[in-house]
Amino acid sequence: TARDGVGQDGVIRNGARRGGAGRDGASPDAETIARSIMSLLERNPGMRILALLDEADNFIAADEKSDFVEISRIRSVMEQTNYRFKVVFSGVKNVQRYFRRANHPLAQLNKALVAGPLEPAAARELIVEPMKTLGVRFESENVVAKILSYTNYHPALIQVFCKRLLSVVRTRSDEPPFVCTMSDAQSIYTWQPFREGMRERFENTIG
């Protein structure tokens, strides 16, 4: 699987540069990137490329104004490479909404998957591992359990909660390790602006 950078006006920039595009410092255009991807896969029969496009709602909304020219281009590359090149769009509202439209190029690729609550072990890992990477540790497993109860094991809510949690623990120290306490978790959950943000994210993601 290729792991190159993803850009909104195309798909994989670094792969295009290896294919000869953008050597003058300018970003290659979308059509050049598409040709480079197909050429790369043609030269490497065993290669597969998976591009993960997170927070894709604004990209999809912008592409609608040009009659989905970029998404149609992406779909064309997927089809011409016999799906050895694949793109996964992740978002909140627009991804699901456009998948339900029969005339939308996304609807002709695959079905939309709604991310629901995780299994307990996976939800715990989503809290603990990224925070550990950022230098945050929890004073006890009870803190992690409390966060799980607040977020109902839902990945989108865990993301929102932990983002706020990281900001809170960093106010006490400039350098890791940062320690998250039960009081930190409770203060975030009871802070009204945050509760409203959680409710909005919950309704957008699940509703």
Side-chain angles (χ1 to χ4, degrees):
T1 301
R3 294 183 177 229
D4 294 308
V6 176
Q8 176 172 322
D9 63 338
V11 188
I12 299 183
R13 296 183 180 277
N14 292 341
R17 291 193 182 101
R18 286 197 297 271
R23 288 176 177 169
D24 58 354
S27 296
D29 60 44
E31 188 59 37
T32 299
I33 294 172
R35 290 196 304 268
S36 296
I37 290 171
M38 290 186 287
S39 176
L40 181 66
L41 292 175
E42 185 177 355
R43 297 194 308 270
N44 299 273
M47 176 180 285
R48 293 178 180 273
I49 299 173
L50 177 63
L52 306 177
L53 306 185
D54 195 13
E55 304 290 346
D57 295 279
N58 290 339
F59 168 76
I60 294 173
D63 200 32
E64 181 180 23
K65 298 176 182 179
S66 60
D67 198 25
F68 303 108
V69 63
E70 297 298 344
I71 292 175
S72 295
R73 192 194 320 274
I74 290 171
R75 186 187 69 181
S76 175
V77 175
M78 291 172 63
E79 292 172 345
Q80 291 184 63
T81 60
N82 198 26
Y83 295 92
R84 289 168 53 210
F85 170 72
K86 292 183 179 180
V87 174
V88 176
F89 293 93
S90 173
V92 178
K93 291 182 177 179
N94 288 333
V95 173
Q96 294 184 56
R97 178 162 62 92
Y98 287 121
F99 257 107
R100 290 193 290 266
R101 289 171 48 174
N103 63 338
H104 187 273
L106 283 178
Q108 302 168 32
L109 293 178
N110 210 325
K111 64 180 180 179
L113 299 177
V114 179
L118 299 172
E119 293 296 323
R124 180 191 178 280
E125 182 178 359
L126 186 59
I127 294 171
V128 173
E129 294 304 319
M131 297 295 269
K132 181 189 297 183
T133 301
L134 294 170
V136 179
R137 64 179 180 85
F138 297 90
E139 66 174 1
S140 73
E141 276 294 320
N142 290 336
V143 180
V144 178
K146 181 63 71 173
I147 296 172
L148 288 172
S149 70
Y150 288 155
T151 58
N152 198 30
Y153 299 85
H154 199 283
L157 303 186
I158 289 173
Q159 179 186 27
V160 173
F161 196 99
C162 288
K163 180 179 180 180
R164 175 62 184 172
L165 184 61
L166 183 62
S167 297
V168 169
V169 299
R170 281 180 167 173
T171 62
R172 294 195 294 265
S173 175
D174 294 329
E175 297 181 358
F178 309 104
V179 180
C180 172
T181 66
M182 182 66 77
S183 177
D184 292 330
Q186 291 172 340
S187 68
I188 293 170
Y189 186 69
T190 57
W191 185 46
Q192 190 59 33
F194 184 77
R195 290 175 65 88
E196 292 173 358
M198 288 277 283
R199 184 183 304 111
E200 180 181 358
R201 184 65 179 260
F202 181 86
E203 291 172 351
N204 286 342
T205 304
I206 306 173

